[in-house]
Amino acid sequence: MTEFAFTCTGVRADRFAAGPTLVFRLRITATGDEPIHAMALRCQIRIEPAKRGYETAEAEGLADLFGERSRWGSTLQPVQFAQVSVMVPAFTGETETDLVVPCTYDMDIAATRYFDALTSGEVPLLMLFSGTAFTGAGGFRVEPVPWDREAVFRMPVATWREMVEQHFPGCGWIRLPRDTMDALLAFRSRRALPSWEATVRALLDESGGAAPAPPRRFSLTGITSTTGRTAP
């Protein structure tokens, strides 16, 4: 039985992807001299928020996820980030491959809210592996990748922010129900407002709230962006 080990050696933002995408670099080691003809690998990635410290501003940004800091002893639980698959080509002994993880800037997703609240440092990740390996020197033998295979990795917050800025420079996203979106569009049309930013600012002015200075624009969409992940 072949023993497999996994190590994450780095991560980068994919500049050429159509949407926000992180690319993790995996090193895979297999014991023995038998060739691995191919590997159908699954990876579940979790955020482990209890394994880092937080500044005051970060703690305030995480309040909607974990509550007040005084409760974090029981509420700071792992957050599901992604679940992806990759086909690893033939190798013997050791190889490296890219694990491509599509991301979202939908603030209704818990992992996105967590990343957005962080200002610096690293994100502690746990990568859980499973799958099927096709091995054998004189033919094909099917072997499972045990469910206890895992790797830890600390992703720089700067990498996440770089990825977001590539696709949504200076912007934030709000997801709205269709009827609210229709009402907002009607309001914009009645006032002949030139942009969604102007529409939101007009609503803020009418509500009596002072509109903030405009370093950050808001794009509004009624289309649901989903990256919900479940265990395989």
Side-chain angles (χ1 to χ4, degrees), residues 54-69 72 76 107 109-119 161:
Y54 301 91
E55 299 176 357
T56 300
E58 293 174 328
E60 292 173 354
L62 294 170
D64 64 331
L65 283 180
F66 305 120
E68 298 298 323
R69 193 190 283 267
W72 282 10
L76 218 60
M107 296 303 291
I109 304 299
T112 305
R113 296 209 306 275
Y114 176 85
F115 290 132
D116 189 68
L118 303 183
T119 59
R161 295 199 173 278

Side-chain angles (χ1 to χ4, degrees), residues 52-53 55 58 118-124 154-159:
R52 61 158 282 168
E55 299 176 357
E58 293 174 328
L118 303 183
T119 59
S120 61
E122 298 172 328
V123 180
R154 300 186 73 86
M155 181 181 74
V157 173
T159 303

Side-chain angles (χ1 to χ4, degrees), residues 118-176:
L118 303 183
T119 59
S120 61
E122 298 172 328
V123 180
L125 300 177
L126 176 63
M127 310 178 81
L128 306 171
F129 299 98
S130 61
T132 304
F134 302 91
T135 68
F140 283 90
R141 185 173 67 251
V142 178
E143 298 185 26
V145 176
W147 281 78
D148 62 353
R149 304 295 92 173
E150 60 185 46
V152 295
F153 182 69
R154 300 186 73 86
M155 181 181 74
V157 173
T159 303
W160 170 268
R161 295 199 173 278
E162 176 190 352
M163 176 197 70
V164 170
E165 284 299 311
Q166 287 173 6
H167 295 274
F168 309 117
C171 294
W173 289 87
I174 301 174
R175 185 178 68 173
L176 297 175

Side-chain angles (χ1 to χ4, degrees), residues 32-223:
D33 297 326
E34 285 193 351
I36 310 299
H37 302 293
M39 178 184 292
L41 186 65
R42 294 186 297 272
C43 180
Q44 184 177 134
I45 306 177
R46 296 177 184 172
I47 302 167
E48 296 198 302
K51 294 188 175 180
R52 61 158 282 168
Y54 301 91
E55 299 176 357
T56 300
E58 293 174 328
E60 292 173 354
L62 294 170
D64 64 331
L65 283 180
F66 305 120
E68 298 298 323
R69 193 190 283 267
S70 60
R71 299 177 53 213
W72 282 10
S74 58
T75 63
L76 218 60
Q77 300 298 318
V79 176
Q80 182 80 349
F81 173 33
Q83 184 167 298
V84 292
S85 301
V86 61
M87 284 299 301
V88 181
F91 70 96
T92 300
E94 184 176 285
T95 190
E96 291 194 0
T97 190
D98 286 338
L99 186 68
V100 179
V101 178
C103 302
T104 178
Y105 197 32
D106 185 345
M107 296 303 291
D108 283 346
I109 304 299
T112 305
R113 296 209 306 275
Y114 176 85
F115 290 132
D116 189 68
L118 303 183
T119 59
S120 61
E122 298 172 328
V123 180
L125 300 177
L126 176 63
M127 310 178 81
L128 306 171
F129 299 98
S130 61
T132 304
F134 302 91
T135 68
F140 283 90
R141 185 173 67 251
V142 178
E143 298 185 26
V145 176
W147 281 78
D148 62 353
R149 304 295 92 173
E150 60 185 46
V152 295
F153 182 69
R154 300 186 73 86
M155 181 181 74
V157 173
T159 303
W160 170 268
R161 295 199 173 278
E162 176 190 352
M163 176 197 70
V164 170
E165 284 299 311
Q166 287 173 6
H167 295 274
F168 309 117
C171 294
W173 289 87
I174 301 174
R175 185 178 68 173
L176 297 175
R178 174 55 62 184
D179 56 347
T180 303
M181 188 67 188
D182 291 342
L184 195 61
L185 179 60
F187 177 86
R188 176 179 173 176
S189 298
R190 287 195 303 272
R191 302 298 180 89
L193 296 168
S195 66
W196 288 119
E197 180 182 3
T199 303
V200 173
R201 289 185 179 280
L203 287 170
L204 288 172
D205 289 341
E206 289 195 4
S207 70
R216 191 172 188 179
R217 302 189 306 278
F218 288 89
S219 300
L220 298 110
T221 177
I223 300 176

